Amino acid sequence: MRKISKRAQEENRAGWLFMTPAMIIFVILVAVPVVVSLLLSFTKWNFLSGLGGIEWVGMKNFTQIFTADRKFKMALVNTLIYALTVTPISIILALLFAYMINDKTHLRKFNRLCFFIPYISSMVALAAVFRFLFRSDGPINLLLTQVFHISAVPKWLTDTSLCRIPVICVMIYAGIGFSLIVYMAALQSVPKELYEAATMDGAASFRKFVSITLPMLSPTTFYLCIVRLIAAFKAFSAINIMGVSTSAPSLVTEIYGNAFNSYKFGYASAEAWVLVAVILTVTVFQFWGQKKWVHY
């Protein structure tokens, strides 16, 4: 067996010493709550009854979720709608904008800053702004009335068939910046020789974009699909601030309502683990499908 030098031992001790605070925080704030949540998902517990009120019910919570809980099913459908609309639209727009401002354009840094500011801004503030825009007497309905002469303006925030649209808009607006910055970094790594060879062969700009840019950016697109899908599944602030958590709830708002409004912590924990299972299933499916379209 190779003997570890004294210097290596000192470096190992120093490494563990620096890691210890982070590991303690991780155990207390992440690992322990995860284990407790898993145990609570098999119980019936009203928070106000104290620890003595915990009642073991086994799989009853999960059975109720999939058989009798219509609100959870509606929240699951709404979450899928948010995820399947926000993710592709935000990624496509980010790719187009990144491709356009990647070359030597005027105010390039200013444009990148403008796109990135919504991502680092508070979702609460953005949701409040979009709630104002989509009010019955807000600027959007005013535009529809004054410019397009539409008398019966939509009730964006109260109509159950339309209330998802403002949420989708603010989530797209907030998510474009991150995807754009990632795409711009990926565009810098695409070999220029490929574009030069395509130009010599007489390929047009659109052809170069389809045949070179998209395949070379497929690993980045795969990464962004996973990140944006997970973010969409965890949507909470926009829905809550806009006041559509009752008419168009997401899984997270449904979990929050059962936990902190109804104090059904056991049932909310079971819903949270169903959300974990949904996200894990979507992620595994994406990893399985990457072999068919991701370029290495």
Side-chain angles (χ1 to χ4, degrees):
M1 179 180 291
R2 188 179 64 176
K3 185 177 180 180
I4 302 177
S5 64
K6 185 177 180 180
R7 180 180 179 85
Q9 292 177 355
E10 293 177 353
E11 291 178 351
N12 290 337
R13 284 195 294 267
W16 282 106
L17 182 63
F18 282 112
M19 288 173 57
T20 299
M23 292 178 64
I24 293 174
I25 293 174
F26 174 81
V27 170
I28 295 176
L29 299 182
V30 179
V32 172
V34 167
V35 174
V36 172
S37 174
L38 180 61
L39 295 176
L40 285 177
S41 65
F42 299 101
T43 66
K44 179 181 180 182
W45 181 39
N46 188 316
F47 177 75
L48 299 179
S49 64
L51 296 177
I54 298 178
E55 178 186 351
W56 185 267
V57 295
M59 298 295 295
K60 184 177 179 180
N61 288 333
F62 295 96
T63 303
Q64 183 178 349
I65 288 173
F66 291 108
T67 58
D69 195 340
R70 294 184 178 180
K71 291 184 62 178
F72 183 84
K73 294 178 181 178
M74 180 176 68
L76 177 59
V77 171
N78 289 331
T79 303
L80 290 175
I81 292 174
Y82 294 141
L84 296 178
T85 52
V86 171
T87 301
I89 294 175
S90 61
I91 289 178
I92 291 172
L93 291 178
L95 175 58
L96 293 178
F97 290 142
Y99 188 75
M100 286 189 295
I101 67 177
N102 182 59
D103 295 329
K104 296 180 180 180
T105 57
H106 296 290
L107 302 176
R108 179 183 176 186
K109 294 183 179 179
F110 177 75
N111 289 329
R112 284 188 296 181
L113 178 63
C114 291
F115 280 114
F116 194 67
I117 283 179
Y119 176 73
I120 61 177
S121 300
S122 170
M123 178 57 78
V124 175
L126 294 179
V129 171
F130 273 76
R131 182 178 181 179
F132 168 75
L133 293 175
F134 282 95
R135 287 193 323 182
S136 298
D137 58 345
I140 292 180
N141 280 349
L142 183 63
L143 179 67
L144 294 177
T145 303
Q146 300 295 330
V147 178
F148 298 97
H149 305 290
I150 299 176
S151 56
V153 293
K155 298 179 179 180
W156 300 102
L157 299 176
T158 56
D159 192 336
T160 55
S161 61
L162 298 174
C163 60
R164 300 185 191 92
I165 296 177
V167 177
I168 292 172
C169 289
V170 68
M171 290 173 66
I172 292 173
Y173 179 73
I176 288 179
F178 174 77
S179 301
L180 181 137
I181 295 298
V182 174
Y183 268 131
M184 290 196 68
L187 285 170
Q188 301 299 320
S189 63
V190 178
K192 301 297 182 182
E193 294 80 4
L194 297 178
Y195 292 112
E196 294 173 358
T199 302
M200 294 179 62
D201 291 337
S205 298
F206 179 77
R207 184 63 180 176
K208 288 188 286 187
F209 178 78
V210 173
S211 300
I212 299 176
T213 305
L214 288 182
M216 296 299 293
L217 294 181
S218 58
T220 304
T221 303
F222 171 69
Y223 163 74
L224 290 175
C225 283
I226 294 178
V227 172
R228 300 316 307 166
L229 273 174
I230 293 176
F233 274 109
K234 297 190 300 180
F236 174 77
S237 299
I239 300 170
N240 202 33
I241 297 300
M242 286 190 169
V244 299
S245 57
T246 302
S247 54
S250 67
L251 288 178
V252 178
T253 58
E254 179 66 14
I255 294 169
Y256 179 86
N258 283 323
F260 299 102
N261 294 334
S262 302
Y263 300 108
K264 298 188 295 184
F265 275 69
Y267 192 76
S269 297
E271 290 180 321
W273 279 98
V274 173
L275 174 59
V276 170
V278 171
I279 294 177
L280 182 62
T281 301
V282 172
T283 304
V284 170
F285 177 78
Q286 285 188 304
F287 271 98
W288 173 80
Q290 70 166 329
K291 299 177 182 178
K292 300 181 181 296
W293 63 278
V294 175
H295 173 79
Y296 295 99

